[in-house]
Amino acid sequence: QVQLVESGGGLVQPGGSLRLSCAGSGFIFSHYAMGWFRQAPGKQRELVAKITRSGSTNYADSAKGRFTISRDNDKNTVFLQMNGLKPEDTAVYYCNAAYSDNGYFEHEYWGQGTQVTVSS
Protein backbone atom coordinates (compact mmCIF):
# COMPACT_ATOMS: atom_id res chain seq x y z
CA GLN A 1 0.00 0.00 0.00
CA VAL A 2 1.42 3.34 -1.08
CA GLN A 3 1.63 6.02 1.57
CA LEU A 4 2.98 9.55 1.69
CA VAL A 5 2.86 10.95 5.19
CA GLU A 6 3.58 14.64 5.72
CA SER A 7 4.61 16.18 9.01
CA GLY A 8 6.06 19.39 10.35
CA GLY A 9 3.27 21.84 9.66
CA GLY A 10 1.95 24.23 12.25
CA LEU A 11 1.50 27.83 13.29
CA VAL A 12 4.46 30.17 12.89
CA GLN A 13 4.93 33.92 13.06
CA PRO A 14 5.89 35.92 9.98
CA GLY A 15 9.61 35.63 9.36
CA GLY A 16 9.77 32.25 11.05
CA SER A 17 10.79 28.86 9.73
CA LEU A 18 9.31 25.40 9.38
CA ARG A 19 10.66 22.15 8.04
CA LEU A 20 8.18 19.83 6.39
CA SER A 21 8.90 16.14 5.98
CA CYS A 22 7.21 13.55 3.80
CA ALA A 23 7.89 9.86 4.34
CA GLY A 24 7.06 7.52 1.50
CA SER A 25 6.36 3.80 1.61
CA GLY A 26 4.97 1.11 -0.64
CA PHE A 27 6.87 2.23 -3.74
CA ILE A 28 10.48 2.61 -4.89
CA PHE A 29 11.08 6.12 -3.58
CA SER A 30 14.31 6.75 -5.47
CA HIS A 31 12.55 6.14 -8.80
CA TYR A 32 10.17 9.04 -8.30
CA ALA A 33 10.44 12.78 -8.66
CA MET A 34 9.19 14.37 -5.47
CA GLY A 35 7.39 17.64 -5.04
CA TRP A 36 5.64 19.91 -2.61
CA PHE A 37 2.43 21.63 -3.60
CA ARG A 38 0.16 23.90 -1.62
CA GLN A 39 -3.44 24.98 -1.68
CA ALA A 40 -4.78 28.04 0.04
CA PRO A 41 -8.51 28.47 0.71
CA GLY A 42 -10.34 29.40 -2.46
CA LYS A 43 -7.28 28.89 -4.63
CA GLN A 44 -5.99 26.18 -6.90
CA ARG A 45 -3.27 23.80 -5.83
CA GLU A 46 0.11 25.10 -6.96
CA LEU A 47 3.61 23.74 -7.20
CA VAL A 48 6.02 25.02 -4.56
CA ALA A 49 9.15 22.98 -5.29
CA LYS A 50 10.19 19.74 -6.89
CA ILE A 51 13.26 17.54 -6.95
CA THR A 52 14.04 14.99 -9.61
CA ARG A 53 15.39 11.50 -9.13
CA SER A 54 18.88 12.84 -9.79
CA GLY A 55 18.49 15.70 -7.31
CA SER A 56 17.82 18.61 -9.64
CA THR A 57 15.49 21.15 -8.10
CA ASN A 58 12.93 23.63 -9.34
CA TYR A 59 11.03 26.28 -7.39
CA ALA A 60 8.04 28.48 -7.83
CA ASP A 61 9.00 32.15 -8.00
CA SER A 62 7.32 32.69 -4.63
CA ALA A 63 9.60 30.08 -3.03
CA LYS A 64 12.92 31.00 -4.59
CA GLY A 65 15.49 32.15 -2.07
CA ARG A 66 13.34 31.19 0.91
CA PHE A 67 12.51 27.49 0.53
CA THR A 68 14.80 24.52 -0.02
CA ILE A 69 13.70 21.08 -1.11
CA SER A 70 15.88 18.04 -0.47
CA ARG A 71 15.54 14.28 -0.39
CA ASP A 72 17.06 11.38 1.50
CA ASN A 73 16.55 8.23 -0.54
CA ASP A 74 17.95 6.05 2.22
CA LYS A 75 15.14 7.24 4.48
CA ASN A 76 12.51 7.51 1.72
CA THR A 77 11.89 11.08 2.81
CA VAL A 78 11.62 14.45 1.12
CA PHE A 79 11.97 17.71 3.02
CA LEU A 80 10.94 21.30 2.52
CA GLN A 81 12.84 23.84 4.57
CA MET A 82 10.86 27.06 4.67
CA ASN A 83 12.49 30.25 5.91
CA GLY A 84 11.26 33.81 5.96
CA LEU A 85 7.65 32.69 6.04
CA LYS A 86 4.97 35.17 5.05
CA PRO A 87 1.22 35.20 5.72
CA GLU A 88 0.66 34.44 2.04
CA ASP A 89 2.45 31.12 2.55
CA THR A 90 -0.52 29.96 4.62
CA ALA A 91 -1.94 26.85 2.96
CA VAL A 92 -2.26 23.11 3.15
CA TYR A 93 1.01 21.65 1.88
CA TYR A 94 0.89 18.38 -0.04
CA CYS A 95 3.64 15.94 -0.87
CA ASN A 96 3.67 14.46 -4.36
CA ALA A 97 5.52 11.52 -5.88
CA ALA A 98 5.54 11.40 -9.68
CA TYR A 99 6.80 8.60 -11.92
CA SER A 100 7.87 9.15 -15.49
CA ASP A 101 9.13 6.67 -18.05
CA ASN A 102 11.40 7.99 -20.82
CA GLY A 103 10.19 11.49 -20.03
CA TYR A 104 6.52 10.63 -20.16
CA PHE A 105 4.39 11.01 -17.05
CA GLU A 106 2.98 7.72 -15.88
CA HIS A 107 1.36 8.15 -12.48
CA GLU A 108 1.58 9.99 -9.20
CA TYR A 109 0.74 9.70 -5.53
CA TRP A 110 -0.38 12.36 -3.05
CA GLY A 111 -0.10 12.76 0.67
CA GLN A 112 -2.95 13.87 2.87
CA GLY A 113 -1.54 17.34 3.46
CA THR A 114 -0.25 19.32 6.40
CA GLN A 115 -1.49 22.76 7.42
CA VAL A 116 0.93 25.66 7.54
CA THR A 117 -0.36 28.88 9.06
CA VAL A 118 1.72 32.03 9.14
CA SER A 119 0.23 34.60 11.46
CA SER A 120 1.13 36.91 14.29
Side-chain angles (χ1 to χ4, degrees):
Q1 181 181 359
V2 171
Q3 282 192 310
L4 290 172
V5 180
E6 300 104 331
S7 61
L11 173 64
V12 63
Q13 292 187 340
S17 297
L18 283 175
R19 189 192 196 205
L20 305 183
S21 299
C22 171
S25 61
F27 63 102
I28 304 175
F29 186 87
S30 61
H31 289 190
Y32 285 68
M34 300 300 298
W36 287 97
F37 290 71
R38 69 186 182 187
Q39 188 167 18
K43 295 187 177 181
Q44 289 189 331
R45 190 173 298 189
E46 62 178 5
L47 174 69
V48 177
K50 61 182 179 181
I51 184 166
T52 67
R53 293 179 293 184
S54 62
S56 298
T57 59
N58 190 32
Y59 296 92
D61 287 343
S62 59
K64 288 178 181 176
R66 299 188 299 128
F67 295 0
T68 302
I69 189 170
S70 61
R71 65 189 297 161
D72 184 338
N73 289 336
D74 290 335
K75 296 182 179 179
N76 292 350
T77 302
V78 62
F79 305 96
L80 185 68
Q81 178 66 44
M82 303 187 293
N83 299 327
L85 283 161
K86 305 174 182 179
E88 51 264 43
D89 295 317
T90 296
V92 177
Y93 283 70
Y94 296 91
C95 178
N96 173 273
Y99 181 80
S100 298
D101 186 17
N102 289 326
Y104 290 93
F105 171 78
E106 292 280 339
H107 61 268
E108 63 186 348
Y109 305 120
W110 291 94
Q112 82 288 349
T114 185
Q115 177 70 45
V116 171
T117 302
V118 185
S119 175
S120 55

